[in-house]
Amino acid sequence: MSERHPANDRRLEPTGAASPTWWIVFSRELHDLWIGGKALYLILIYAVLLGIYSYLFASNSELNLLPLKQMVLEIVKAAIAVGLFICLIIGADSFSGERERATLEGLLLTPTSRRQIALGKFLAAVSPWPVAVAIAVPYWIVLSKGDAALVPALLWGPVLGSLLAPAFAGVGMLVSVWCNSNKTSMLVSLVVYLLLIFPAEFSGLATVPLGSQMAARSDVLQWVNPIAASGRFLHDTLMGNSTLHQLWLWVTTPVLFPVVVLGVLFAFAGPKLRLEAGTGRLGRTAT
Amino acid sequence: MQHAKADVQPMTQGADAPAPGSRTAVLVAEGLQKSYGPRQALRGLSFTLGAGRLLGFLGPNGAGKTTSIRILTTIMEPDAGQFTVDGISHKYPEEIRRRIGVLPETFGLPKQMTGIEYLTYFGQLYGRSARQAKQLGLELLDEVGLKQRGRSLVSTYSHGMRQRVGIARALINDPMVVFLDEPTLGLDPRGQQELLGLVKQIAQERSAGVILCSHLLTEVESVCDDVVILNSGEIVATGSVRDVIGRTERNVIRIRVPVPSLAESQRALGTIPAVRKVAAANGSTGWLRVELSEVLSDDHQISNAILETLIRARIPILSFEPEGGRLQDVFLNLTAQAIK
């Protein structure tokens, strides 16, 4: 029984110049996202939102209601926030969506490792981010009217977004690994997003000077939240002309957040991807 | 690969040894168990599948068929027991997946892909280059009768065509074992016939072991060589289809005659010594249920005596069949016994 069947050996050997499987999955996902239209629709909405935002800020600026630097800061933050949302939503659809469409089983039945499947899908989920940046940059340039805030905006906006976009795509995918229903996956991801984005937005409204203890607590809360920490870093760079050396603490969270999320995704959740949600034995039923 | 092979322990041969006519066992399962909490879904599944053999995998709803298939296709891990595909232990799921092809009961197809794109994608996932995968995809589409529709979007395919493209995908790695879960579900009679012909062809021409899960017992009886009947997670019958059918005691014959001849038929049949009781079959007009005092044997003496009696009495015989002589009867009998 343990002898090989020589006649059947031809079945087993990979032939030709085969591509790495993560690349095959990535190419397929990319095709589905961009040709299928989902990413295109999201990017279209993103462009429209950015246009409306820019128009409103430009109007305020014309009326001298908003300083130019502040306007640039807000439009950079908005571009990042919406870009992250797109990556999160696409990540959240990655596995639970396939489960719902009954296409995941076919993929899991191939000899492709779960980690490679996760990697291919992850890269596709991050793919809207560069497009989002490409759309946003002209807005930043036009709205800044040559202000000095443009240079740090052009540098740090894409850098921070490029750190956070993979993390948010990863968060969406992690939720997706544990959800059988796509609706649940989307809702949970949305809640996570709102939990991070609201405190980040509200922290900017604290114009009343806080006591030193309160200020310290507020700083800790901002530091823990990757979006708030990024916002604070951008604020101080664009508005206060502070240097990276002075503000390095605010970059640690945007750097650590993707490391942790992607570590969990690729070291733990991805390899244990199952046909039915969850990574353990619980909750799996079949007859 | 060699390492994976070395880990495989020989399994017990005997009642589950490869069926006659098969060259070698391509799938050996031994003592597979699976529980969901306190409920035991599978209680020691053991069977062997030979190369080129078609095995019907039967059982009522909840019998453990899907659990078995998911374990054997490495989607799920067993709690206990082991299985091998081509001698590769289940501890090496990626190696097993290289050697199996699966058509799940429900499977989705990506809407934006054409049939050939779909097969090319899966061919690549099995290690082929894009060109080779495409070539293979075209050959498979031809084999399953979809050559003309290969460049159409799969979203435009009929149910039967989707099943066919699913089978083509299951064959993309030229597997040694093919699992087909309800492949004819929802197909019209012609579609069912054509698909079953294709399934038979896969076993014969590719020398692959095929496991066919189905609720349609007539189709299993007509195409399968072997059968495994599961009930409540246990095997209640296994062997060749003929053997399993032959194992049941048959002492009832159902005969259909024209309604005006019913009374005369009853009288005539009552004169045969081997006949214990003759009565009209419940709920079936024109049918007689003939109970015998002894079990039907292979020499057909009693059957011939009954037929002779009716012919002499000039009673037209519209239908004649021993009860329990079909897989459906065996299945109902065995699963009912197990429930009791």
Side-chain angles (χ1 to χ4, degrees), chain B residues 60-80:
Chain B
N61 291 331
K65 297 191 301 291
T66 304
T67 298
S68 308
I69 296 298
R70 287 195 173 161
I71 287 173
L72 294 170
T73 55
T74 74
I75 288 287
M76 225 178 231
E77 282 177 30
D79 295 338

Side-chain angles (χ1 to χ4, degrees), chain A residues 219-239:
Chain A
D219 281 355
V220 170
L221 287 175
Q222 277 192 59
W223 180 79
V224 169
N225 183 337
I227 298 184
S230 306
R232 175 70 177 267
F233 178 84
L234 283 171
H235 177 272
D236 290 358
T237 324
L238 269 68
M239 307 289 285

Side-chain angles (χ1 to χ4, degrees), chain A residues 201-266:
Chain A
E201 287 302 311
F202 292 148
S203 64
L205 298 175
T207 49
V208 181
L210 301 170
S212 61
Q213 205 175 357
M214 282 289 282
R217 278 184 201 163
S218 170
D219 281 355
V220 170
L221 287 175
Q222 277 192 59
W223 180 79
V224 169
N225 183 337
I227 298 184
S230 306
R232 175 70 177 267
F233 178 84
L234 283 171
H235 177 272
D236 290 358
T237 324
L238 269 68
M239 307 289 285
N241 297 320
S242 305
T243 61
L244 179 62
H245 183 68
Q246 292 165 308
L247 299 171
W248 67 269
L249 194 65
W250 296 109
V251 192
T252 50
T253 317
V255 170
L256 286 176
F257 185 54
V259 169
V260 172
V261 169
L262 300 186
V264 174
L265 178 64
F266 290 112

Side-chain angles (χ1 to χ4, degrees), chain B residues 192-207:
Chain B
Q192 284 181 11
Q193 280 301 313
E194 287 174 358
L195 206 77
L196 288 176
L198 180 64
V199 170
K200 213 164 181 175
Q201 191 184 319
I202 291 166
Q204 287 170 352
E205 292 179 8
R206 291 173 170 268
S207 294

